[in-house]
Amino acid sequence: MKVTYFGHAAFHLEMNGKHLVFDPFISPNPKASAIDLANIQADYLLLSHGHGDHVADAEQIGKRCGATVVSSFEVVSWFEGKGIKGHPMNLGGKWKFDFGMVKYVNAVHSSVLPDGTYGGNPGGFVVWDADCCFYFAGDTALTTDMQIIPLTCPKLDFAILPVGDNFTMGYEDAAIAADWIACDTIIGCHFDTFPYIEIDHEAAKKVFAARGKRLILPAIGETVAV
Ligand code: NI
Ligand code: MN
């Protein structure tokens, strides 16, 4: 599967002919200034939680593309109020979409929308079809709840985990998460956007390599094949 990184926690991939965009935060991110928002295609916007650094461009992309927001009930309700259609979920639930299965799983974090509206519980997504299964963790601490994923979902081919520390787990904890979710290929996100989350790339990769894991830290705009 080809995964394109738009910076911070924003990703695009195509699954069974549908365009999935995760946590779009592009226009407010000076480091992502080379990304042209108008070229991003989306059938679905999967939003892990309501924080501005995860939803900033969802309204714009959602309206232009007629995309469906998939998130917590509270985040979906907020976007429905802006005229964007949605599919509400809550923790532990899964639903078969036309591109594949989505399970909304626990994240240990907080969630409020940009205008102060309560965002419900934050989450992550496990997404799969017959060929591929991946986990987009959203913003989260390391939590033993991650150990539920290999028990309840197909074997993960890759996972997108935050590694920047301070607001989420750092790379040391993310390497433990990779063990707990039984996944060898990790794409890091939520790093280097702000001074609080700048990381040493080589040190981070070494921590994963010591556990027999591969950490990919994509450049903004890069497409990685996993
Ligand atoms: Ni957050
Ligand atoms: Mn965040």
Side-chain angles (χ1 to χ4, degrees), residues 49 51 53-54 109-110 139:
H49 64 297
H51 287 160
D53 62 316
H54 297 258
H109 193 66
S110 57
D139 282 4

Side-chain angles (χ1 to χ4, degrees), residues 185-203:
T185 302
I186 305 299
I187 300 174
C189 71
H190 220 272
F191 65 94
D192 289 357
T193 318
F194 317 115
Y196 284 138
I197 60 174
E198 283 173 5
I199 63 165
D200 179 333
H201 291 208
E202 291 316 307

Side-chain angles (χ1 to χ4, degrees), residues 138-211:
D139 282 4
T140 183
L142 178 65
T143 166
T144 51
D145 282 355
M146 291 168 177
Q147 296 177 5
I148 297 169
I149 292 172
L151 301 177
T152 57
C153 301
K155 179 162 176 42
L156 293 170
D157 293 292
F158 68 96
I160 299 173
L161 303 180
V163 296
D165 225 323
N166 192 75
F167 299 115
T168 68
M169 59 185 175
Y171 57 76
E172 301 93 337
D173 286 7
I176 297 170
D179 270 346
W180 286 357
I181 60 176
C183 185
D184 292 336
T185 302
I186 305 299
I187 300 174
C189 71
H190 220 272
F191 65 94
D192 289 357
T193 318
F194 317 115
Y196 284 138
I197 60 174
E198 283 173 5
I199 63 165
D200 179 333
H201 291 208
E202 291 316 307
K205 288 176 185 176
K206 269 187 194 161
V207 167
F208 278 73
R211 290 176 177 268

Side-chain angles (χ1 to χ4, degrees), residues 1 13-18 20 99-100 127-129 132 134:
M1 182 168 280
L13 56 84
E14 200 178 328
M15 195 170 191
N16 295 311
K18 301 294 179 184
L20 277 55
F99 57 87
V127 182
W128 69 88
D129 64 9
C132 182
F134 66 93

Side-chain angles (χ1 to χ4, degrees), residues 3-8 10-11 31-32 35 187-188 191-192 201 205 216-224:
V3 182
T4 300
Y5 184 48
F6 298 135
H8 201 50
F11 289 87
K31 300 197 170 188
I35 306 294
I187 300 174
F191 65 94
D192 289 357
H201 291 208
K205 288 176 185 176
I216 302 164
L217 296 173
I220 296 175
E222 185 180 351
T223 298
V224 296

Side-chain angles (χ1 to χ4, degrees), residues 84-102:
I84 296 169
K85 63 190 175 201
H87 180 107
M89 299 187 77
N90 216 327
L91 297 172
K94 65 181 185 300
W95 180 260
K96 194 174 194 310
F97 290 85
D98 56 1
F99 57 87
M101 191 74 86
V102 175

Side-chain angles (χ1 to χ4, degrees), residues 14-82:
E14 200 178 328
M15 195 170 191
N16 295 311
K18 301 294 179 184
H19 296 274
L20 277 55
V21 169
F22 293 81
D23 285 5
F25 169 76
I26 298 153
S27 61
N29 181 3
K31 300 197 170 188
S33 57
I35 306 294
D36 186 357
L37 206 56
N39 280 341
I40 295 176
Q41 291 187 68
D43 296 296
Y44 293 92
L45 290 159
L46 289 88
L47 307 179
S48 61
H49 64 297
H51 287 160
D53 62 316
H54 297 258
V55 306
D57 293 314
E59 182 177 356
Q60 190 178 334
I61 297 171
K63 284 186 173 160
R64 177 173 51 79
C65 299
T68 299
V69 169
V70 180
S71 189
S72 71
F73 175 82
E74 291 82 356
V75 168
V76 165
S77 299
W78 192 75
F79 278 102
E80 283 174 344
K82 295 176 177 296

